[in-house]
Amino acid sequence: DLVTYDDVHVNFTQEEWALLDPSQKRLYKGVMVETYRNLTAIGYIWEEHTSEDHFQTSRSHGR
């Protein structure tokens, strides 16, 4: 079976994000950056947004 982006992406609510400690937030960020890089390296096409768009949205939510 193929693994899709939705299989690996976790979208926290602001409330859930606030419950994470700093090391958990760093781990999440690092894993997602690696996931974006790996998907881009194998030619994944970002249909709705680019990875930069996602990070801008995440930053605007304080995460």
Side-chain angles (χ1 to χ4, degrees):
D1 292 329
L2 295 175
V3 175
T4 67
Y5 173 76
D6 290 331
D7 292 332
V8 297
H9 179 252
V10 177
N11 192 22
F12 293 102
T13 65
Q14 286 184 350
E15 293 80 16
E16 292 169 330
W17 186 255
L19 295 173
L20 298 177
D21 64 48
S23 65
Q24 291 170 316
K25 291 176 183 179
R26 280 191 304 275
L27 175 62
Y28 170 80
K29 219 181 237 187
V31 168
M32 290 312 297
V33 166
E34 183 177 353
T35 299
Y36 288 127
R37 286 182 183 152
N38 290 338
L39 288 171
T40 300
I42 63 169
Y44 181 84
I45 299 189
W46 301 95
E47 295 176 7
E48 294 181 17
H49 303 284
T50 66
S51 59
E52 287 301 314
D53 291 338
H54 177 77
F55 284 118
Q56 289 298 329
T57 301
S58 294
R59 276 187 229 139
S60 71
H61 289 107
R63 42 185 174 160

